[in-house]
């Protein structure tokens, strides 16, 4: 069973994650996190001695874990990689639409805002993206795509989804995500139908 301290730490990371999604990293202050998490005032520096940067890393790691779980779940439930990617994009589309286009990917938000300012945050974001690329590549490889091609294709898939989320929020429309699902699924089908995963 988690201790009271562990629960407070998790609540702080969860609050940071939610606030990054709605207000951005720069727009999220520590006082707002404390209030959102309903945590004791001194708890942030107790659990995150590095302050906001350490809390930001924890939020990015939490986001990474959740989307990785979504990818793994989609892969387990789908009949093939193209269908799995469709399922994952549909889940993201629902999240974005139901939030009235206020929620996006916190990892891309932190990358854009802090990638050039904090090496620690940049590395956390890089690790997060790779944690999504790797299981996607493994699924593609298991479907017959050559290893190098699988990682390259998985990188394109994740990058396309990230871009589609941003454009969907800007346009306040799910069309970019829906189009991304169609194009990515078609690309995956082409690669999987080609011997060795190459043209």
């Amino acid at each position: 069973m988690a201790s009271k301290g562990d629960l407070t730490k998790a609540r702080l990371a969860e609050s940071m994650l939610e606030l990054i999604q709605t207000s951005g990293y720069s727009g999220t202050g520590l006082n707002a996190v404390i209030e959102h998490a309903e945590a004791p005032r001194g708890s942030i520096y107790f659990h995150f001695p590095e302050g906001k940067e350490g809390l930001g890393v924890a939020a990015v790691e939490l986001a990474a874990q959740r989307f990785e779980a979504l990818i793994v779940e989609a892969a387990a439930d789908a009949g093939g990689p193209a269908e799995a990617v469709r399922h994952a994009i549909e889940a993201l589309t629902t999240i974005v639409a139901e939030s009235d286009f206020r929620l996006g990917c916190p990892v891309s938000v932190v990358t854009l805002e802090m990638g050039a300012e904090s090496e620690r945050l940049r590395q956390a974001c890089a690790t997060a993206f790779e944690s999504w690329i790797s299981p996607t590549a493994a699924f593609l490889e298991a479907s017959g795509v050559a290893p190098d091609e699988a990682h390259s294709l998985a990188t394109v898939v994740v990058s396309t989804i990230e871009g589609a989320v941003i454009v969907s929020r800007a346009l306040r429309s799910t069309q970019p995500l829906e189009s991304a699902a169609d194009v990515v699924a078609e690309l995956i089908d082409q690669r999987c139908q080609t011997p060795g995963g190459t043209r």
Side-chain angles (χ1 to χ4, degrees):
M1 181 178 293
S3 68
K4 182 178 179 181
D6 288 340
L7 291 173
T8 298
K9 184 176 182 178
R11 204 161 66 245
L12 287 167
E14 175 70 39
S15 290
M16 183 67 173
L17 174 58
E18 290 185 23
L19 291 172
I20 286 174
Q21 287 182 292
T22 56
S23 304
Y25 179 86
S26 299
T28 298
L30 294 183
N31 287 336
V33 176
I34 291 169
E35 182 178 346
H36 188 277
E38 298 181 349
R41 187 153 296 277
S43 59
I44 284 186
Y45 286 102
F46 177 80
H47 294 293
F48 301 97
E50 310 90 343
K52 184 177 178 179
E53 185 181 55
L55 190 54
V57 169
V60 168
E61 290 173 346
L62 181 58
Q65 292 166 10
R66 289 183 176 173
F67 190 52
E68 182 180 2
L70 187 154
I71 293 171
V72 172
E73 181 181 346
D77 293 342
E83 185 181 348
V85 169
R86 279 193 180 279
H87 286 179
I89 295 177
E90 285 170 3
L92 285 175
T93 301
T94 298
I95 291 170
V96 172
E98 289 185 350
S99 73
D100 193 28
F101 300 95
R102 295 177 68 240
L103 298 184
C105 175
V107 179
S108 62
V109 170
V110 175
T111 301
L112 292 170
E113 288 190 30
M114 301 302 297
E117 304 294 329
S118 166
E119 176 60 20
R120 190 175 177 206
L121 285 169
R122 185 205 65 77
Q123 185 57 56
C125 291
T127 300
F129 286 128
E130 188 57 43
S131 76
W132 304 338
I133 292 169
S134 292
T136 304
F139 193 31
L140 289 167
E141 192 174 341
S143 300
V145 180
D148 288 348
E149 175 77 6
H151 190 273
S152 177
L153 181 54
T155 302
V156 169
V157 169
V158 171
S159 300
T160 300
I161 294 171
E162 286 294 307
V165 169
I166 292 171
V167 178
S168 284
R169 292 183 69 194
L171 298 180
R172 294 183 62 80
S173 167
T174 59
Q175 186 58 52
L177 278 162
E178 293 164 5
S179 296
D182 291 338
V183 171
V184 168
E186 182 178 354
L187 180 60
I188 290 173
D189 277 338
Q190 289 174 354
R191 291 296 193 273
C192 290
Q193 289 168 7
T194 305
T198 58
R199 291 184 185 276

